[in-house]
Amino acid sequence: MIPLLKQSNRLFGKQVKNNSANKKFVRNSSVWSKVVKGPEDPILGVSVAFQKDPSPKKVNLGVGAYRDDNGKPFILSSVKQAEEKINATNPDHEYGPIGGTPAFNKVVQELVFGKSSEVVSSKRAVTVQALSGTGSLRVGADFIKRWINLPNSGDGRSIYVPDPTWGNHIPLFEDAGFTVKKYRYYDPKTCGLDFNAMVDDIHKAPKGSIFLFHACAHNPTGVDPNDSQWSQLSQVCKEKGHFSFFDLAYQGFASGNPEKDVNSVQTFIKDGHQVAIASSFAKNFGLYGERVGALTLLTDDSTQAENVESQLKILIRPMYSNPPVYGSRIVTTILNDPQLSQLWRTEVKGMADRIISMRSLLVKHLAQNGSKRNWKHITDQIGMFCYSGLTPQQVDRLASEFHIYLTRNGRISMAGVTSKNVEYLAASMAAVTKDA
Amino acid sequence: MSSLFQDIPEAPADPILGLNQQFLADNAPNKINLGVGAYRTEEGKPLILNCIKKAEEIVDNSGKFNHEYLPIDGPTEFCNASQRVLFGDTVDSHGKKFVTVQALSGTGALRVGMEFIKKFFPQGTTVYISDPTWPNHRNICNAVGLAWKSYRYYSRESNGLDFKGLMEDIKGAPDRSIILLHVCAHNPTGMDPTPSQWNEIADLLHQKNHVPFFDCAYQGFASGDLDKDAEPLKMFVRRGFECLVAQSFAKNFGLYGERIGTLTVVSSSEAVTKPVRSQLKGIIRANYSSPPGHGAYVTQVVLTTPALLEEWKVELKGMAGRIHDMREKLSKALEERGINWPHVMQQIGMFSYTGLNPKQVEVLIQKHHIYLTADGRISLAGLSTKTVPVLADAIQDALRQSNM
């Protein structure tokens, strides 16, 4: 909890000189003196420790960005070509529209719903550009808090997130004024999905609750419901009149197929849910630092969509006025160009495939190193992250004895695994789990 | 089917950005856009600064930059260089007590600063904003849940600064209020306090323990000289004030849509800088995680490459010079039509508060296809030698019409 600054009755400061040109005064205590130090970002801590380690064998499994097989950042060719195409037009840096350009918002909808989708043709969805996944979630959270019309709104706004979830979900929704509640999700016994408990918690929640789902490639566990489970989840949510907010940070990046990766969203829409979707283009386009994302809301019709859009703009204007244009131009250019679009699909599949193959290799080498443990969850899980099942103590040993760095919840960023370090990683993991 | 959003009313268009949409939709061949404060050349085109073009080539081709995540508070080099531009030599004397974070242009800096104030100041702390001010100042206070009040600023009768009213209202504010001040080229009026008035304002703020929040969106655009334009801010820093400063690179770098700026918290002690930074990062993280890279790197390259920095200063002088030229031409053109408007030359920066009332503004828009905001604010950056007489004619017509 951050304490409010208490008002001091003391006189602030003494004038040192009376000369008006040289007036100085010394405050006895700063107006900021009650500001307490905020908590350190746990993921950042891993990076810091990794940087400090001089060992040539060190491995960074805390990285939140894709790395190629040489452990280097990967700049997509489709992105480079799009940048060249854009630069050739000598673009200006003028303000974009508050909600992003219509061209960008259109390609986002086509990517999420499909070009021939009824959602797109009816114009009943509204999409606004926002600052990557985080910004989209935040604009969505603020909008829902202000405008959503649900039965049983009750004691104020709660939102249900999976346990565990991406660390930033909690402060983000709390800052937006929500009470964050958790629904059971991950089963540490199986390193898989505790589906029955999840359904149970969705059922137990008051009617008309707000639920956050990871559309694919759950962060941090990598554990996703299968298609049949998503159908069942959709039915339960429908029965209870819940509102579903999808965090879509890995479209294309999970299975390698952008259409397959939104199956959860499509299922819910088919069943009549008016979902919200926060799309991030950080990972699937490698545009992390350019902060490209979008928030999409489904309404009944195009008129309602226009009204919703106007109110989204009212929210955005006092946040940052309008979104950064650089990255959105790239995404728009790629998705509107058949050749670049195809190239992008190949590249995003390449990234997904590399990660999938690293999972396989890791399991294979764990067995080869004599580990008797069941490591099947590593290949069952999907996306950037893997909940290894390692305990905090085992994680600490990996760091101190083997120079392998990951967060203490046992989360491995598969992007940090390469064909060059996977055997060493497997041997190390086998070693620390030998007597477990 | 009953929608979750069925009762949502359509919101009114943003007064400034909505005006732009109106302009774009107008088919008149001779339409003139004096709405948004974006710089235009004599040909009426956006200007991409040469220093920016060169810096972009470096960013794109040097191999030193990529699209990876930036630190939550922005690159250190970017923040330090931005600080140096804004605070000049006070960085040397007071810099250890500055916390500078990258922000989403001026709006984003104000927003993070206001959220910070909301979290750490006593409940009921009020933000005092000038009457008039940039409309989004009010929106930001409202969005964050901070109470705001106005202090008198512009006198319609004198078409000048109501300094007496300003001082009275700031004196009347409860101790330790937040006072929002425009460092230079006040938006929308173009009226800035004189150096001596600034000193009196500082005296009063000190007396009342008020905390200034400086909005610096036009550094370099007022006088053409970066250091001169930031002088009021530096005076406050030298006098030991704790304050917040929102810095925008939208106009002076022409980077509008890239959303590049900074927020600085100036404190009286080094000890508080660590906790302050960590809390600012917390606010940023929960809003958008980390800031955009491209524009920040481009800015950083200009500010840290001496030749480009010099080129920027020259280009800034050019822009400010052209705007000043438009003021002179407009002033003369109005005189030739028997209209004596001394405020056009007295005001400074991108805007002029013409003093036209909403009815007269409508005449300009509807009859003459000249777009300006309802408060009578024109952006001089949107004028050219060719269009000055057109505007002068239209103003003459509007004044004549309201006299009928």
Side-chain angles (χ1 to χ4, degrees), chain A residues 338-354:
Chain A
Q339 184 244 331
L340 288 180
S341 191
Q342 194 46 53
L343 176 58
W344 170 66
R345 280 170 179 268
T346 309
E347 292 185 293
V348 79
K349 183 167 193 304
M351 290 193 279
D353 284 349
R354 191 183 91 68

Side-chain angles (χ1 to χ4, degrees), chain B residues 98-146:
Chain B
F98 295 170
V99 176
T100 298
V101 299
Q102 184 179 347
L104 296 168
S105 209
T107 308
L110 286 158
R111 178 58 179 256
V112 173
M114 293 294 181
E115 292 213 18
F116 183 72
I117 289 167
K118 177 76 178 163
K119 270 198 164 123
F120 293 105
F121 273 65
Q123 224 182 9
T125 297
T126 302
V127 179
Y128 282 77
I129 59 181
S130 63
D131 177 16
T133 193
W134 182 50
N136 212 20
H137 284 149
R138 291 190 285 277
N139 297 337
I140 296 170
C141 290
N142 290 337
V144 161
L146 275 171

Side-chain angles (χ1 to χ4, degrees), chain A residues 93-395:
Chain A
H93 298 287
E94 293 293 290
Y95 287 125
I98 300 175
T101 60
F104 173 76
N105 294 331
K106 179 165 183 283
V107 297
V108 171
Q109 285 197 4
E110 288 173 353
L111 181 63
V112 176
F113 302 118
K115 275 202 176 110
S116 53
S117 157
E118 159 276 324
V119 171
V120 172
S121 56
S122 66
K123 295 196 193 317
R124 69 185 181 94
V126 50
T127 298
V128 289
Q129 184 187 344
L131 274 91
S132 210
T134 308
S136 306
L137 286 163
R138 185 56 187 262
V139 173
D142 284 4
F143 186 80
I144 289 166
K145 187 106 201 334
R146 185 182 281 192
W147 285 110
I148 202 163
N149 169 38
L150 282 167
N152 292 4
S153 41
D155 56 355
R157 230 17 116 199
S158 298
I159 184 165
Y160 290 79
V161 303
D163 184 10
T165 193
W166 179 48
N168 203 26
H169 278 147
I170 295 164
L172 185 150
F173 285 113
E174 283 181 347
D175 249 37
F178 284 87
T179 303
V180 177
K181 300 195 166 126
K182 298 204 173 136
Y183 56 86
R184 283 169 292 168
Y185 190 82
Y186 177 72
D187 185 349
K189 289 199 268 8
T190 61
C191 293
L193 181 63
D194 191 347
F195 184 63
N196 289 335
M198 181 180 179
V199 170
D200 195 33
D201 285 352
I202 293 176
H203 231 289
K204 284 207 181 84
K207 273 178 182 273
S209 293
I210 300 166
F211 272 80
L212 180 83
F213 295 114
H214 297 221
C216 65
H218 181 270
N219 177 359
T221 69
V223 170
D224 283 351
N226 60 36
D227 289 353
S228 152
Q229 288 169 330
W230 275 120
S231 279
Q232 293 173 68
L233 290 168
S234 171
Q235 287 308 314
V236 182
C237 286
K238 201 164 176 196
E239 275 167 42
K240 300 288 302 196
H242 291 332
F243 178 81
S244 303
F245 195 167
F246 282 92
D247 186 344
L248 180 61
Y250 298 98
Q251 188 179 5
F253 197 89
S255 69
N257 180 327
E259 281 66 48
K260 188 158 186 271
D261 286 346
V262 287
N263 177 63
S264 56
V265 177
Q266 295 284 26
T267 301
F268 272 60
I269 292 175
K270 248 188 272 162
D271 290 347
H273 294 273
Q274 279 184 314
V275 302
I277 303 154
S279 292
S280 166
F281 299 107
K283 287 86 173 170
N284 53 9
F285 281 83
L287 286 173
Y288 308 93
E290 305 304 345
R291 319 311 293 129
V292 197
L295 170 72
T296 300
L297 297 167
L298 256 66
T299 74
D300 279 337
D301 54 52
S302 59
T303 306
Q304 222 175 75
E306 281 171 18
N307 292 349
V308 168
E309 190 189 20
S310 71
Q311 293 294 350
L312 283 166
K313 284 154 74 168
I314 295 277
L315 272 175
I316 291 170
R317 180 54 159 148
M319 283 180 163
Y320 49 84
S321 281
N322 39 72
V325 296
Y326 186 78
S328 61
R329 280 178 180 162
I330 293 171
V331 172
T332 309
T333 300
I334 290 174
L335 294 179
N336 272 334
D337 179 320
Q339 184 244 331
L340 288 180
S341 191
Q342 194 46 53
L343 176 58
W344 170 66
R345 280 170 179 268
T346 309
E347 292 185 293
V348 79
K349 183 167 193 304
M351 290 193 279
D353 284 349
R354 191 183 91 68
I355 286 181
I356 290 167
S357 74
M358 287 305 108
R359 288 181 183 274
S360 285
L361 276 177
L362 182 56
V363 172
K364 180 174 113 171
H365 286 294
L366 279 162
Q368 279 177 4
N369 272 280
S371 178
K372 295 285 179 273
R373 230 192 223 203
N374 180 359
W375 294 104
K376 186 168 174 293
H377 52 279
I378 292 179
T379 40
D380 284 345
Q381 292 166 6
I382 191 169
M384 178 105 65
F385 301 109
C386 163
Y387 242 36
S388 59
L390 293 167
T391 65
Q393 293 73 26
Q394 290 163 345
V395 168

Side-chain angles (χ1 to χ4, degrees), chain B residues 2 57 67 79 86-87 113 179 183 199 259 261 308 368 394 398 404:
Chain B
S2 120
E57 268 167 54
H67 297 301
C79 292
L86 187 55
F87 292 97
I179 313 294
V183 172
N199 274 311
R259 319 311 295 126
L308 292 180
H368 298 275
M404 290 190 199

